């Protein structure tokens, strides 16, 4: 709705990318700690599978919640120009991709995804209480059998 925010948007996306880039390995490490006796590739695969399922659901929801732009928003949008529509309608080979590229109002979807992410964070903060099983296993002294195996290495 505010069309002159390109610099702020680029800064915010950069900040999000920098912070998200650092959070990814921490999340994978936490999954390894929480599922310690299980191989770490299983936890990572489940995280990826969960992300793919959630992405599919959210893409479907975005299509259901999008609306047409109206009024001043329709004038400001840049996905579709009146001159390109007139030119493609007047020619014998109309470009249907030009006509299909109309900006959409995604306000409802952005509200949904903001609430969804807030709920996920809240559930994680309140209910995710785990012992760091791998760290605890590393702190315990080795058994006599493990000491014997280390002597042969």
């Amino acid at each position: 709705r505010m069309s002159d925010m390109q610099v702020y948007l680029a800064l915010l996306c950069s900040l999000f990318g920098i912070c998200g880039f650092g959070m990814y390995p921490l999340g994978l490490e936490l999954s390894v700690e929480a599922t310690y006796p299980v191989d770490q590739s299983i936890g990572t695969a489940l995280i990826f599978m969960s992300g793919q399922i959630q992405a599919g659901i959210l893409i479907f929801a975005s299509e259901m919640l999008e609306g047409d732009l109206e009024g001043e928003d329709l004038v400001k949008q840049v996905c579709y120009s009146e001159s390109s529509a007139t030119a493609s309608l007047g020619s014998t080979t109309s470009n249907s991709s030009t006509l299909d590229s109309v900006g959409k109002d995604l306000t409802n979807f952005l509200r949904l995804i903001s609430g969804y992410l807030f709920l996920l964070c809240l559930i994680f903060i309140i209910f995710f209480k785990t012992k760091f099983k791998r760290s605890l296993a590393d702190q315990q002294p080795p058994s006599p059998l493990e000491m014997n195996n280390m002597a042969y290495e």
Side-chain angles (χ1 to χ4, degrees):
R1 315 255 182 221
M2 295 182 234
S3 62
D4 298 329
M5 303 291 284
Q6 290 91 350
V7 173
Y8 297 115
L9 185 61
L11 287 173
L12 238 126
C13 288
S14 299
L15 183 64
F16 178 74
I18 290 169
C19 294
F21 188 70
M23 290 301 296
Y24 183 70
L26 291 175
L28 291 178
E29 186 66 24
L30 183 61
S31 76
V32 170
E33 288 283 346
T35 61
Y36 166 61
V38 179
D39 186 46
Q40 63 186 0
S41 62
I42 301 295
T44 303
L46 289 174
I47 288 173
F48 279 114
M49 184 179 69
S50 170
Q52 295 297 317
I53 291 170
Q54 290 178 57
I57 292 169
L58 289 173
I59 288 171
F60 179 73
S62 75
E63 291 175 0
M64 295 295 113
L65 293 174
E66 71 184 15
D68 292 330
L69 291 174
E70 297 173 353
E72 187 177 320
D73 295 330
L74 190 60
V75 174
K76 288 183 179 179
Q77 64 93 20
V78 295
C79 295
Y80 174 83
S81 69
E82 195 65 38
S83 61
S84 65
T86 308
S88 64
L89 287 174
S91 67
T92 55
T93 59
S94 68
N95 186 356
S96 63
S97 66
T98 304
L99 296 176
D100 293 337
S101 300
V102 178
K104 296 290 184 178
D105 182 10
L106 296 173
T107 304
N108 292 330
F109 174 68
L110 292 176
R111 289 179 182 150
L112 171 80
I113 201 165
S114 296
Y116 175 68
L117 291 175
F118 176 77
L119 184 65
L120 281 180
C121 290
L122 194 64
I123 289 171
F124 184 78
I125 290 169
I126 293 172
F127 296 111
F128 188 76
K129 309 284 187 218
T130 186
K131 294 180 182 177
F132 296 116
K133 299 173 187 174
R134 188 180 66 173
S135 295
L136 291 174
D138 288 342
Q139 292 174 357
Q140 294 180 1
S143 67
L145 180 61
E146 290 173 343
M147 297 266 297
N148 193 18
N149 287 342
M150 284 190 282
Y152 288 114
E153 291 178 0

